[in-house]
Amino acid sequence: MSMTLSAIQLPLFTTPLKGREEPPAPEPPAPEPPAPEPPTPEPGIDFSRIDCPNKALLLPTLNPAAVATVVTGLIASSMTGAPASAALALTFNDTAGSVNYSFNPGDPSALVSATGTLGEAAYTENWAVNTETGAITVTGTIGESTQELTFSECEGQNAMFINGRVGDLAVSQKLFLVESQSGDESRSRLVVDGAIGGRSYHQELSLLGESEDGSAIGTSGYLAGSDLNQVILTSSTETGANTLAAGDVAGVEVTLNADLVMAQP
C-alpha cells in the first residue's frame, strides 16, 4: 500500500497548543545607510610625468603659440643686442600653468632660459646653440620627466629636423615651408610632420590675416586621429608684443596669454 505525506496525521501541527501564545513576529532589520558617493576626481592634467603623446603636445616646447613667442623674443633680442623677457599664462582644461622666459643673445649656452609650473609640476627650459653647426638644443625638466630636443637644419631641403625625447617619448619631426598659388594670390604654410611616442603627428600653420597691429595664424592637424586646432593672435605693444592663443589640442582646451617685453639696448 502506498502512502503519501498528506495522508499522515501529525498531531503536533493539527492540534493547536493550549496555554501558549504565538511568539511575536521579528522586527524588520534596520535599513542600511546609503553608500557614500564616490569622491569626484580633481579635474585637470597631471604633468608630473610625461608618459603619453597627448600630454607631450601640451608642453611649451611643442606648442606653436609658445614656440612663436620664444622665437620672436630670441630674434628681437639678437637684433637689438639687448636682453628680453616673456611671461606666459596657460590653461589646460582646469589646470593652470605659468612660465617666465629670459632671452640672452650674448650667451650661446643659455640663449633662452625659463622656469615655471605646469599644474603642480615644476618646469624648466634652456636653449643652447652649437656655434659650429648652428643646431639648437632645448633641454629641461617637467616634474619627474626630462626633455631634450635638437633643432637642426636639413641642408638642401629648406627644412629643419626636430629630434629627441620628451619624458618617456621619442620625438621625430620635420618642419618645412610649403608654397601654393591660387590665381594671383600666393600662400605659404608651415608644416610639421613626424611622430611623437610612435604615433603619427601632423600640423600646419597658415596666416589667416594681418594688419599693422598684428596677425592671426590658424593651426590644424592631428595626432593619431585626435584633432589639433588653435588660433594664434599676435599684436605689438608699447614694450614688445602680446600673443593670445586658444584651441583644442587632442581633446584638451588650451589657452595661452604671452607678454614679451624688450629691454632698451
Side-chain angles (χ1 to χ4, degrees):
M1 179 179 65
S2 63
M3 183 176 294
T4 64
L5 183 61
S6 61
I8 302 176
Q9 298 297 318
L10 298 177
L12 181 62
F13 294 100
T14 57
T15 305
L17 296 175
K18 295 181 180 180
R20 188 172 177 181
E21 297 181 355
E22 293 288 335
E27 292 289 333
E32 292 288 333
E37 291 290 330
T40 302
E42 291 293 328
I45 296 169
D46 181 9
F47 284 101
S48 61
R49 183 173 179 182
I50 307 304
D51 51 6
C52 69
N54 296 43
K55 199 183 295 185
L57 269 186
L58 302 177
L59 300 179
T61 45
L62 294 177
N63 183 320
V67 173
T69 298
V70 172
V71 171
T72 301
L74 184 57
I75 292 174
S77 62
S78 298
M79 291 177 63
T80 62
S85 62
L88 273 64
L90 308 108
T91 62
F92 313 92
N93 288 343
D94 295 325
T95 298
S98 63
V99 182
N100 294 314
Y101 287 86
S102 61
F103 304 94
N104 306 289
D107 186 356
S109 64
L111 285 176
V112 181
S113 56
T115 59
T117 56
L118 300 180
E120 300 296 324
Y123 182 84
T124 66
E125 185 181 329
N126 185 80
W127 292 45
V129 62
N130 185 318
T131 55
E132 294 183 0
T133 65
I136 293 177
T137 300
V138 181
T139 57
T141 58
I142 317 101
E144 302 172 4
S145 299
T146 61
Q147 59 179 336
E148 183 171 350
L149 299 170
T150 299
F151 295 72
S152 58
E153 186 179 356
C154 178
E155 294 184 6
Q157 297 187 34
N158 195 25
M160 179 174 288
F161 288 126
I162 306 171
N163 293 295
R165 297 192 69 83
V166 175
D168 300 340
L169 313 168
V171 175
S172 177
Q173 299 175 1
K174 184 178 179 180
L175 186 151
F176 53 96
L177 198 64
V178 175
E179 301 284 351
S180 60
Q181 191 77 24
S182 178
D184 296 332
E185 185 179 1
S186 61
R187 287 194 167 190
S188 60
R189 64 185 189 276
L190 190 64
V191 178
V192 186
D193 210 12
I196 299 176
R199 301 179 68 184
S200 57
Y201 165 73
H202 180 88
Q203 190 153 208
E204 298 188 7
L205 289 77
S206 302
L207 183 65
L208 301 179
E210 59 182 338
S211 66
E212 293 181 357
D213 297 327
S215 62
I217 296 172
T219 76
S220 61
Y222 60 84
L223 173 65
S226 297
D227 290 336
L228 311 173
N229 296 286
Q230 284 192 89
V231 174
I232 304 169
L233 305 175
T234 62
S235 60
S236 299
T237 65
E238 292 183 358
T239 56
N242 175 260
T243 299
L244 295 173
D248 182 287
V249 179
V252 177
E253 187 178 332
V254 176
T255 66
L256 175 145
N257 186 347
D259 283 313
L260 174 65
V261 177
M262 300 298 303
Q264 294 300 316

